[in-house]
């Protein structure tokens, strides 16, 4: 399943890398794509192995807000 989340606070390549790494460490993640200009994170994941809630938590643990 692919979900696109609106994320506030990302402004640079380091921000994108932090989010991609944090979410990418979750089980069942196929891909994570950050669009800094749009403030979006697209995540392709297996719903049997992780949840949207876990993905949001991983983003927030990196210091960004999911809106």
């Amino acid at each position: 399943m692919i979900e696109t989340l609106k994320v506030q606070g990302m402004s640079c390549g380091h921000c994108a890398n932090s989010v991609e790494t944090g979410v990418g460490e979750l089980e069942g993640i196929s891909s994570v794509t950050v669009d800094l200009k749009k403030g979006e994170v697209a995540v392709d994941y297996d719903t049997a192995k992780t949840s949207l809630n876990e993905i949001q938590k991983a983003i927030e643990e990196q210091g960004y807000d999911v809106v």
Side-chain angles (χ1 to χ4, degrees):
M1 168 171 281
I2 298 174
E3 291 281 349
T4 301
L5 305 168
K6 285 284 194 183
V7 180
Q8 292 181 332
M10 300 183 301
S11 61
C12 64
H14 176 72
C15 300
N17 288 339
S18 293
V19 170
E20 288 172 352
T21 300
V23 174
E25 290 176 349
L26 295 173
E27 185 178 355
I29 301 295
S30 298
S31 69
V32 182
T33 306
V34 174
D35 186 328
L36 290 174
K37 290 181 183 179
K38 291 183 180 180
E40 294 179 345
V41 177
V43 183
D44 186 0
Y45 67 102
D46 182 344
T47 57
K49 294 184 179 179
T50 194
S51 67
L52 186 57
N53 194 35
E54 288 296 316
I55 293 167
Q56 290 173 338
K57 184 178 171 185
I59 293 170
E60 290 169 353
E61 285 176 352
Q62 297 304 315
Y64 307 102
D65 296 317
V66 178
V67 293

